[in-house]
Amino acid sequence: MSHSRCKTAILISGSGSNLQSFIDQVASGSIDLDICTVFSNNARAFGLERAKKAGIPTSCVDHTAFDSREAFDRATAAELDPYEPELLILAGFMRILSPWFVRHYEGRILNIHPALLPLYPGLNTHQRAIDAGDAQHGTTVHFVTEELDGGPCILQGRLAIRRGETAEQLNRRIQAIEHQIYPKAAQLVADGEITFRDGRAFRDGQPLTEPLLIDFPD
Ligand code: GAR
């Protein structure tokens, strides 16, 4: 990917505040992506309303109607592929992807995970960071591979956990960071500055051994 207006599909399951950030940043010219479609596994996801309001085509497939991950994923791809997406943005898409899906879009799927990966893959990341007494926490944009929350990291946003902060309070601050860093990371990939090859991330052709990091001071 090395051209502007990269055709980008965004996949959601819920509120879609990250989706909204992409929509707003495209509208303001901060990023230059073509959000060609928004897909959800949940017909009641508020993010679908956000997409419709922005005039973006939407589709929805209920995962509970399928008896295997791959069958659902093939139905998802059947909705996405007519748009010929060059980049897939998982924005609170709460489904584990089948190996088939990851290979079908190899190197073209990004996810945001609310932790400083490799710390805290999986769920309840904020509470786990608080319970561990961590001084810092954050969120990570990474390429998706077959390993859950395990693909090469691209960009992290980091903050200091406040004394006595609850998981809910932390989540609000982490989400505000996500809204800034996710579109930025997607643009780097769309522009070909960050690439994926053989399970690794590269920046300007050099292996990206550590993710890019932005510290957000209090
Ligand atoms: C985001 O905070 C994202 O980090 C998280 O879901 C939220 C979706 O919010 N994703 C995961 O936990 C993936 N493992 P949104 O629907 O308001 O964008």
Side-chain angles (χ1 to χ4, degrees), residues 103-116:
R103 283 197 288 265
H104 187 65
Y105 299 107
E106 193 184 1
R108 293 187 284 149
I109 313 176
L110 303 186
N111 182 41
I112 192 156
H113 179 75
L116 294 171

Side-chain angles (χ1 to χ4, degrees), residues 14-19 91-92 94 111-114 122 139 149 171 175 178:
S15 157
S17 70
N18 278 284
L19 163 65
M94 304 307 274
N111 182 41
I112 192 156
H113 179 75
T139 185
D149 299 328
N171 182 50
Q175 283 215 321
E178 292 186 336

